[in-house]
Structures are given as C-alpha cells and as structure tokens.
Amino acid sequence: MKWTPHPRRRARVAALACAALLGGLVSVPAQAAETHRTGRLTDLVNPFIGTQNEGNTYPGASVPFGMVQLSPDTGHNTGYDYKDTRIRGFSAVHLSGVGCGLGGDLPTLPTTGEVTETDYARYAAEFRHDDESARPGYYRVALKSYGGITAELTAGRRTGHQRYTFPATDKANVLLNAGQSLHKTDSTTVEILDARTVRTAITGHGFCQGTRPYTLYTVTRFDRPFTAYGTWRDGTVTAGSKSSTGTGRNGAYLRFDATRDRTVEATTAVSYVDADGARRNLRAESGGFDRTARAADAAWERRLEGVRTQGGGETLRRTFYSSLYRSFLAPNIGSDVDGRYTGWDQKIHRARGFDYYQNWSLWDTYRTQAQLLGLLAPHEARDMALSVLRVDAEGGWLPKWGYGTVETNIMTGDPVTPYLTNAYHQGLLTGHEEEAYRALKKNADGVPPADSPAVGREANAEYIKGGYAPYIADWIHKKPGDSDFDHGPSATLEYALSDAMLARMARELGHHADAARYAKRAQNYRNVFDPSTGFFRARDAGGAFTGPADPAKSVGFHEGTAWQYQWLVPQDLSGMVSLIGGKDAANKRLDSFFAYDKLLKDPAGTARKVWVNGPYDYYNADKYNPQNEPDTIAPYTYLSTGRPWQTTDVVHAALTLFTDSPSGMTGNDDLGTMSAWMVLSAIGVYPVQPGADAWGLSTPLFDRVDLRLDRRWYPHGRFTITAPGTSGHDRYIRSVRLNGSPYGKTYVRTEDIRRGRALSFGVGSAPSHWGTSASAAPPAVN
C-alpha cells in the first residue's frame, strides 16, 4: 500500500499537543519524594507512587526480589492507601499492585501505656504525610498517637528491621499481631521464647477467592530485653503469658523502659518452611538497622544502575526510575538461607544450583515484566523460570497465579506458556529446554486431575475438540479461583496465543509433529470471530454466538470487552487484520479505539478523560483501557498496519498517565506489569509478541539510554539506545540504525540485542516513510 503522510496541519497540531504533553510530564510536583541531589539513582525513586486510586503499591522497605516487604497498613484491603490517616501496623509481607487482599502478616505497632485493645483497627496510630518519607529500602513516619513515636523500617533479603523512638516512658510497647492480616487467618500461634525473642506461626488463605492454606513462620529478635510482656486472644489481654494459640485475634505485647534509652530495634525473619528456617534466616541477617539500611540502599542502587538515561526532565526521570524500581519488587525469593523451601506438594525441598522464587502473577507479567527481567536481571530471571518448573515437578502442574506455596487460580487462559517460551528465547532455560517443553506440552494438551488444586487450561478438552473455549454463563466452579468457562472468548484468544509460542519452541527443538499441531491450533482465534459484527465474540457449548452483538457490551471477556481483546493476536496480526477487512479497515478501527482525532488535539486529556474510566472499570467500553493487561500490546498494532508513527502518538499519550504522585499509576501495578510497560515504552523497545522474541520500536523519551547487561547472557555487556533531540515536538522516527547500519523494520529480535551494541533513532517533527512497508512489520509466529 502506498504510504500517505499526515496533512501538515495535523502534524503541527500533534506536535504542539505532544510538546505540551511532555512539558507537563516534567513539571508535575513530586509528592513525598526526595529530590535528586547526590547523583544516586535511588534518590529519584518515589515509593508513594501508586498508593492512591487503587494502584495498590506499598511505600515500605524491601530489597530487590526480597522475601520481606515491611510496610505500613492503613486499612485498605491491599495494605496502604494514601488517603488514610491511621496506621494499623507495619507488616512483613506485601505484593505490589495486587487487586485483592494478600499478605499483611504480623502487623507490628509501637504504642505507649497499658495494652487494652486487641483489634488493630481500634489501636491504630494517627499520622500525617508531612512527617512521612520513603526511599528504596527505607521508610520513616512520625506517629502522632501515643505521645509521638518515630518508626523507621528497612529490610534484608529475608528480614524486616524496625527502629522505634519513643517518648520518655517506662511503658513503651511493641505489639505483634499474629491474628490479623490482609487475608483470612485460619490459626495462629505466638510464643515468647526469652527476654528478647518472639516466635509466631501464621496459617491463612485468601486472595480474591479461597485457596489452600499456607503457613508463614516468623522470629522477631529485639536489641535489648523487654521489662514486661503478655499475650492476647480475641479481646482478652493476659499479662505475663508467654504463649497463645487461636483462630481469631491473637498476639503478644512486649514492654520496654524508654525513660533514658528511648530507642528500640527489632528484626523479624520470615520463612515459608518452618520455625528453624526463620531462625536461620535471622542469624544470617542480624547486622543491625543502620548497616541493613545501607546494604538495602546499595542493592537498589546497583539494580537501578542497569539503566542509565540522558535527557528528559527531572519529573520524567523520577517517574521512570520509580517504575524501574517497582519492576524489581517481585517475584520473591522463596527459599531460606539454607536453600530449603516448601514446594507446591507442601513438602520441604532444597534448591541446589539456583534460588527458588515464588509469587506468580503470570496473566499480568508474561506481557511485560518477564521480558524486562530477562533483559536486566537474567540471572534472577533464570532462577525464576527454573522455580516455575519446580512447581510442575513437585505440584504436578504448571502455575497460573501462584502465591507463596499455593495456587490461587486467579485469572484465566494459559499465561505460563508465553512466560516460559519467552524465558527460552532469552536464553534462560539453557540445559532445561526439554524439561520445560515436557511440562508445557502436558499443560497444553491436558487438564489437571480433579485432585489437583490447579485448573490449568480448564476448557482445554472443548478447545481441542471444537476449536474454541465455550462461554458457559452458569458454570459451577469446581475449584477455587476463576474459570475459563466464564471467559470463553478471551480464554480462546489466550490459548491460541500460547499455542503459537509453543509451536515455535517445538519446531526449534525438533518436535515437528507437535509444532504443526500447535501451529494449527494457534489459528483457533478465528473460531470466535463473528463476521456479522466484525469482532471476536463468545460462543456457547453448542457453537452459537451468544451475548449482545454490540462489542462494547460483549460477554465472556476477562476484564475487558471485544473492543479491547480484538488486538490480542500477536502471533498473527496480519491474519487478524485480514479478518476485519484489511489495513485500511484496521486503521479506521484503531483510530476509533484510541480516539485518535481527540488524542492529536489533547493527548493527556484524552488519556485521562476518554480512555480511563476509573479503577476496575473494565466493561461496557469501546476505547483503549491503558489500566489493564489485555490492552498493553494494543498501541503497537500500528506497527503492523503501516503507520508506526501512530504507535508513538498513542504510547506517548499513555505515558502521561504515569506521574510522580500517589495517583501516578494507570491502575493496579500487578507485580510490576504496568511499571515494566512504562520502562519499556519509555526506552522505545517493547515485546510485541509475548512468548517470542520480537521487540517493537517506538520513539524513546530520552536522548540516550545505556543498558548495562550481564555478560553471561549479553556478550558486549551494554546496549545503547539513542534518540538525539527527542521531544514532544520532534517525536517521529525518521530513520533507525542498528549497530551503525540502516534498519527499516519496526522491530528487533532478542538476538539483535544480545549480539548488538547500539540502536539509534533519528527523529523529527513529522512522520516519514520509515517502517511503512509490508516487510517492516513483525512477522507472524509460525
């Protein structure tokens, strides 16, 4: 098709609008963040971003991929909400951006006076944001209640460290609440072992819907003896008691004389294995508060130094590095210092030659964060992929959404397949390729048995037989969690995507018959396409299309509508485009989807007033929803329809939703998924075929980005992306060079990054012919 540029007037309007857009991005005032004075990248991070408007992040202390995330809980179901004014406790476990209550184990709070209340909603302490601060690995707040107490938090890999400065009093207390968490607690035990040490075991379950229970073990060691102690059970406080076990509120208080020495330090170690594991973890990380805080800061600085940027305003850099920070918060180390961990068979195992990780929000992370970690943290990403394989080996099936030692079955489709095939393409499964393939083949061709807690591809039998997952409105859930039968059309699209990625892996490993079979199944997306509406649509068990014909009111799409899911065919975009009438029809639909005419006049306003309708507002919409995962790939569809400049327009507009403020997230962060989207889109290289190895190109926000890469996976140790003069006005790609040579494709391969050194963008104020030919688009995965 002959390339047709924008009219000049339209280009000028767009340039002026985006200049205002990016100008705003560098002028938003920081809230609760330190300014960049020392040159350290940790100074640029604002942990409060996303703590308001259901971003569901946490501001507390952790280290990269740490087991402990010591952070305040204010009464929000996922932990901390910036609008709240009372802190119930500083608990040991949190997940960044989850949508349901999870973690919040062992909330600990300093108080003074007699202990009379046992419900943390009643004894919670008041605080104000003007006396609260945070940076990576450290949090501080002055509590206004109880005569004024300053609380400081830091963390090691498996420990949380607290320092409390009390007013002068002989009744300074530290409350350890074992019986209240963000999830349901089934039973808890608290034991005072000696004059400095308290041990707990907390068994609970939860997260959106019921799951099998898991147990977290903790040991807390104080830096000096307490002068008195006691326990509580339900509403009864018993002074001098050393232990308590219960199914409701349950905890212990420790009292200190703070008339002279007003500071009390405590270190809490956790383990998902047993009390001995917590004790060993404590012994390994008992270096004191200040030393631990320095080590945490150094660990974060090393991690953030993996990406060095030049250009861009101060607020853009704060927003960017805050997103990079959140991208490294999970998955989390699950093995103790001695290598032991609890597997999904609920038995104790030992990791040999790798660290065992847990917490798998795979429906989210397979699209962005997995690729970013494979690029910037390949050693850890390798261990994470091996950990997923251990879930299959020990638990009998690959995970879907795993928390700690259990499967939650939250979300739908088959996210583990693109997660592991991506690890394969990034070289993370060397020596384990056939092991991974066997697990993926079992997952792709079967359904977990009734006695397995996993649902896997729940609708797989119907999908394989009939070519689609049926939508069954009154489906009775046989296991806790979500069901693919409730989300037939979106499950079909997700299965087909996974089949395509597995087909390619099978072919490369020499399993040609399997490859052909999976490649054929990858075309099953066509079976939920309704020619009468021109959109994907639910089909019932008899094969009839069902639900409203209006794609904005469609049924069966998980957290979205047919409008949002229409672009989730990255394995065969050219085939999908043909279904809806070719490139012209696809571009017309894309322009409507993104409200493109409005976007050109007011990018930021369109993003906030047209695209975003509010937290968890996923349905009854015909527009792009940048808050949620099904749409993360959508802006890059223009790379396959001959209009790559429009990808830049949409991506840059969506990037304005990330700001340096508590409400500066587009929605739930989902364990770093949305943060990773921001990082990748801002540097101009985005995984447009999750589970394969194609990275789509758009104009970076920075003049220069230096990626420091692990030489074990990336021989040159560095990959540089440059776009001199990039700005809101000069944002269109005029030319691209890969390793100094002209490059006309709209994507690069993982191998180009692995073996390459530099990707250079020439930018200007108007679109060009770059990337507009049919051969420039990412090819189908086959």
Side-chain angles (χ1 to χ4, degrees), residues 144-157:
K144 305 305 178 184
S145 304
Y146 304 111
I149 303 170
T150 298
E152 298 172 89
L153 313 177
T154 190
R157 202 175 190 201

PDB file of all heavy atoms in Angstrom, residues 144-157:
ATOM      1  N   LYS A 144       1.540  10.234  65.419  1.00  0.00           N
ATOM      2  CA  LYS A 144       1.064  11.323  66.269  1.00  0.00           C
ATOM      3  C   LYS A 144       0.424  10.804  67.547  1.00  0.00           C
ATOM      4  O   LYS A 144       0.313  11.544  68.530  1.00  0.00           O
ATOM      5  CB  LYS A 144       0.063  12.185  65.492  1.00  0.00           C
ATOM      6  CG  LYS A 144       0.603  12.726  64.168  1.00  0.00           C
ATOM      7  CD  LYS A 144       1.894  13.500  64.345  1.00  0.00           C
ATOM      8  CE  LYS A 144       2.447  13.979  63.019  1.00  0.00           C
ATOM      9  NZ  LYS A 144       3.772  14.653  63.182  1.00  0.00           N
ATOM     10  N   SER A 145       0.001   9.571  67.542  1.00  0.00           N
ATOM     11  CA  SER A 145      -0.624   8.981  68.725  1.00  0.00           C
ATOM     12  C   SER A 145       0.440   8.514  69.715  1.00  0.00           C
ATOM     13  O   SER A 145       1.634   8.482  69.403  1.00  0.00           O
ATOM     14  CB  SER A 145      -1.501   7.802  68.316  1.00  0.00           C
ATOM     15  OG  SER A 145      -2.466   8.178  67.360  1.00  0.00           O
ATOM     16  N   TYR A 146      -0.018   8.183  70.911  1.00  0.00           N
ATOM     17  CA  TYR A 146       0.830   7.590  71.956  1.00  0.00           C
ATOM     18  C   TYR A 146       1.999   8.492  72.345  1.00  0.00           C
ATOM     19  O   TYR A 146       3.099   8.021  72.625  1.00  0.00           O
ATOM     20  CB  TYR A 146       1.341   6.225  71.500  1.00  0.00           C
ATOM     21  CG  TYR A 146       0.225   5.279  71.114  1.00  0.00           C
ATOM     22  CD1 TYR A 146       0.037   4.900  69.787  1.00  0.00           C
ATOM     23  CD2 TYR A 146      -0.649   4.787  72.076  1.00  0.00           C
ATOM     24  CE1 TYR A 146      -0.997   4.048  69.424  1.00  0.00           C
ATOM     25  CE2 TYR A 146      -1.694   3.921  71.719  1.00  0.00           C
ATOM     26  CZ  TYR A 146      -1.863   3.561  70.399  1.00  0.00           C
ATOM     27  OH  TYR A 146      -2.886   2.708  70.050  1.00  0.00           O
ATOM     28  N   GLY A 147       1.762   9.781  72.329  1.00  0.00           N
ATOM     29  CA  GLY A 147       2.789  10.717  72.761  1.00  0.00           C
ATOM     30  C   GLY A 147       3.822  11.042  71.712  1.00  0.00           C
ATOM     31  O   GLY A 147       4.757  11.809  71.969  1.00  0.00           O
ATOM     32  N   GLY A 148       3.672  10.499  70.518  1.00  0.00           N
ATOM     33  CA  GLY A 148       4.624  10.767  69.432  1.00  0.00           C
ATOM     34  C   GLY A 148       5.719   9.725  69.387  1.00  0.00           C
ATOM     35  O   GLY A 148       6.602   9.708  70.254  1.00  0.00           O
ATOM     36  N   ILE A 149       5.677   8.845  68.399  1.00  0.00           N
ATOM     37  CA  ILE A 149       6.671   7.786  68.232  1.00  0.00           C
ATOM     38  C   ILE A 149       7.164   7.829  66.791  1.00  0.00           C
ATOM     39  O   ILE A 149       6.362   7.890  65.855  1.00  0.00           O
ATOM     40  CB  ILE A 149       6.072   6.386  68.511  1.00  0.00           C
ATOM     41  CG1 ILE A 149       5.473   6.316  69.919  1.00  0.00           C
ATOM     42  CG2 ILE A 149       7.127   5.295  68.332  1.00  0.00           C
ATOM     43  CD1 ILE A 149       4.659   5.060  70.179  1.00  0.00           C
ATOM     44  N   THR A 150       8.469   7.800  66.605  1.00  0.00           N
ATOM     45  CA  THR A 150       9.032   7.727  65.263  1.00  0.00           C
ATOM     46  C   THR A 150       9.327   6.276  64.922  1.00  0.00           C
ATOM     47  O   THR A 150       9.999   5.580  65.679  1.00  0.00           O
ATOM     48  CB  THR A 150      10.314   8.556  65.149  1.00  0.00           C
ATOM     49  OG1 THR A 150      10.008   9.934  65.400  1.00  0.00           O
ATOM     50  CG2 THR A 150      10.918   8.429  63.754  1.00  0.00           C
ATOM     51  N   ALA A 151       8.817   5.840  63.775  1.00  0.00           N
ATOM     52  CA  ALA A 151       9.039   4.474  63.310  1.00  0.00           C
ATOM     53  C   ALA A 151       9.889   4.514  62.048  1.00  0.00           C
ATOM     54  O   ALA A 151       9.610   5.288  61.129  1.00  0.00           O
ATOM     55  CB  ALA A 151       7.717   3.777  63.031  1.00  0.00           C
ATOM     56  N   GLU A 152      10.913   3.684  62.005  1.00  0.00           N
ATOM     57  CA  GLU A 152      11.760   3.542  60.825  1.00  0.00           C
ATOM     58  C   GLU A 152      11.796   2.073  60.436  1.00  0.00           C
ATOM     59  O   GLU A 152      11.867   1.190  61.298  1.00  0.00           O
ATOM     60  CB  GLU A 152      13.182   4.024  61.106  1.00  0.00           C
ATOM     61  CG  GLU A 152      13.290   5.487  61.474  1.00  0.00           C
ATOM     62  CD  GLU A 152      14.698   5.838  61.928  1.00  0.00           C
ATOM     63  OE1 GLU A 152      15.516   6.192  61.057  1.00  0.00           O
ATOM     64  OE2 GLU A 152      14.963   5.726  63.139  1.00  0.00           O
ATOM     65  N   LEU A 153      11.786   1.816  59.127  1.00  0.00           N
ATOM     66  CA  LEU A 153      11.783   0.456  58.619  1.00  0.00           C
ATOM     67  C   LEU A 153      12.875   0.291  57.572  1.00  0.00           C
ATOM     68  O   LEU A 153      13.123   1.193  56.769  1.00  0.00           O
ATOM     69  CB  LEU A 153      10.441   0.122  57.957  1.00  0.00           C
ATOM     70  CG  LEU A 153       9.145   0.473  58.688  1.00  0.00           C
ATOM     71  CD1 LEU A 153       7.945   0.115  57.814  1.00  0.00           C
ATOM     72  CD2 LEU A 153       9.060  -0.227  60.032  1.00  0.00           C
ATOM     73  N   THR A 154      13.523  -0.861  57.569  1.00  0.00           N
ATOM     74  CA  THR A 154      14.407  -1.243  56.478  1.00  0.00           C
ATOM     75  C   THR A 154      14.307  -2.753  56.342  1.00  0.00           C
ATOM     76  O   THR A 154      13.595  -3.417  57.098  1.00  0.00           O
ATOM     77  CB  THR A 154      15.855  -0.769  56.709  1.00  0.00           C
ATOM     78  OG1 THR A 154      16.610  -0.979  55.504  1.00  0.00           O
ATOM     79  CG2 THR A 154      16.522  -1.501  57.857  1.00  0.00           C
ATOM     80  N   ALA A 155      14.996  -3.327  55.357  1.00  0.00           N
ATOM     81  CA  ALA A 155      14.808  -4.750  55.088  1.00  0.00           C
ATOM     82  C   ALA A 155      16.078  -5.384  54.561  1.00  0.00           C
ATOM     83  O   ALA A 155      16.885  -4.758  53.870  1.00  0.00           O
ATOM     84  CB  ALA A 155      13.674  -4.956  54.078  1.00  0.00           C
ATOM     85  N   GLY A 156      16.232  -6.656  54.897  1.00  0.00           N
ATOM     86  CA  GLY A 156      17.205  -7.522  54.256  1.00  0.00           C
ATOM     87  C   GLY A 156      16.480  -8.434  53.293  1.00  0.00           C
ATOM     88  O   GLY A 156      15.291  -8.244  52.996  1.00  0.00           O
ATOM     89  N   ARG A 157      17.167  -9.456  52.848  1.00  0.00           N
ATOM     90  CA  ARG A 157      16.548 -10.326  51.852  1.00  0.00           C
ATOM     91  C   ARG A 157      15.412 -11.145  52.452  1.00  0.00           C
ATOM     92  O   ARG A 157      14.399 -11.383  51.803  1.00  0.00           O
ATOM     93  CB  ARG A 157      17.606 -11.253  51.253  1.00  0.00           C
ATOM     94  CG  ARG A 157      17.205 -11.793  49.890  1.00  0.00           C
ATOM     95  CD  ARG A 157      18.294 -12.591  49.250  1.00  0.00           C
ATOM     96  NE  ARG A 157      17.958 -12.890  47.855  1.00  0.00           N
ATOM     97  CZ  ARG A 157      18.497 -13.873  47.172  1.00  0.00           C
ATOM     98  NH1 ARG A 157      19.409 -14.658  47.721  1.00  0.00           N
ATOM     99  NH2 ARG A 157      18.144 -14.087  45.914  1.00  0.00           N
TER     100      ARG A 157
END
